[in-house]
Amino acid sequence: MNTKELSLAAWSWYDFNWLHRHYHNWGHATTVAENVQKILNNRAPDVLVLAAWWHDAVYVPGAGSDANERCSAAALGMTADHGNYEGDISAIDEAKKLIIGTAVENHLSPVFIGGDQGILLDADLGSLADPYDLFLEHQTSIILEQGGNPETDGQLSADFLSKFLTRRDFIYHTGYGRETWEDAARANINRYILDNK
């Protein structure tokens, strides 16, 4: 099993509880993998490719803490072992660490995070800068995924998103994220907060 095959093997994990995955699904994984390549000008190393595809492979809404990230990392490790991964095995161990590092606490940390972890975190949040109508669809999907009601729970979502503006000087860690996504993401979040007052 090569890196591409191992990346695509994540699909069955995303498919497992697809009815409950309104946002953290295969489409999101695809976007994150594409964003990693954008940030690195299509030269992403295997470790980041694998981490991007597998970062939400296991997702149980409301699991809390870093349970989903730890289980996603374990799923990657198990699949690599069972599939006789032919690449650098150290890339698997590093990808697992990166996946665990995508927990919400790191996304909201006021501390700058560099290197591969910062790249993956930025790729994961690239959709915050999507055109506003698509941004709204994402927020609706996240609310539904958490068992909420988009008609009544927009304020809760807005309160959460506001943390990206109040806890951090920048939403993104990488130069690419700050130059390409920062302004649009901030505008989307501010507009969403106003819309849900």
Side-chain angles (χ1 to χ4, degrees):
M1 178 179 279
N2 60 32
T3 299
K4 182 176 181 181
E5 291 167 335
L6 182 54
S7 297
L8 294 176
W11 180 85
S12 62
W13 291 88
Y14 285 91
D15 190 53
F16 172 70
N17 61 340
W18 67 271
L19 277 173
H20 304 288
R21 288 175 174 251
H22 299 277
Y23 180 78
H24 293 93
N25 51 33
W26 185 249
H28 171 63
T30 301
T31 298
V32 173
E34 290 170 351
N35 285 344
V36 162
Q37 294 293 0
K38 286 177 186 175
I39 292 169
L40 292 173
N41 200 23
N42 292 314
R43 293 192 298 265
D46 288 353
V47 61
L48 269 169
V49 170
L50 292 169
W53 284 108
W54 284 86
H55 80 286
D56 282 328
V58 176
Y59 192 85
V60 178
S65 186
D66 61 354
N68 287 321
E69 291 79 12
R70 289 190 176 279
C71 288
S72 294
L76 167 59
M78 185 195 75
T79 304
D81 286 345
H82 291 190
N84 297 314
Y85 178 60
E86 299 166 355
D88 181 2
I89 200 66
S90 67
I92 302 298
D93 293 333
E94 187 58 31
K96 289 167 62 177
K97 290 177 190 172
L98 292 172
I99 291 166
I100 293 168
T102 61
V104 170
E105 65 187 47
N106 280 346
H107 277 302
L108 295 176
S109 171
V111 177
F112 169 78
I113 299 172
D116 287 347
Q117 191 69 69
I119 292 168
L120 184 61
L121 288 170
D122 281 10
D124 198 14
L125 296 183
S127 62
L128 290 176
D130 283 347
Y132 192 68
D133 58 339
L134 187 53
F135 172 89
L136 280 178
E137 286 180 27
H138 298 326
Q139 301 322 305
T140 297
S141 296
I142 290 168
I143 291 169
L144 288 169
E145 189 173 71
Q146 297 301 318
N149 180 344
E151 299 297 320
T152 58
D153 293 332
Q155 180 66 57
L156 292 172
S157 181
D159 289 345
F160 173 76
L161 288 170
S162 71
K163 294 175 184 177
F164 288 106
L165 306 181
T166 59
R167 292 189 182 183
R168 301 182 46 76
D169 292 331
F170 294 96
I171 296 169
Y172 299 102
H173 300 276
T174 63
Y176 181 96
R178 292 179 182 182
E179 292 168 14
T180 309
W181 296 325
E182 186 77 27
D183 290 345
R186 285 182 171 275
N188 282 342
I189 293 170
N190 279 316
R191 181 175 173 185
Y192 188 77
I193 290 169
L194 288 173
D195 287 350
N196 285 280
K197 275 192 171 184

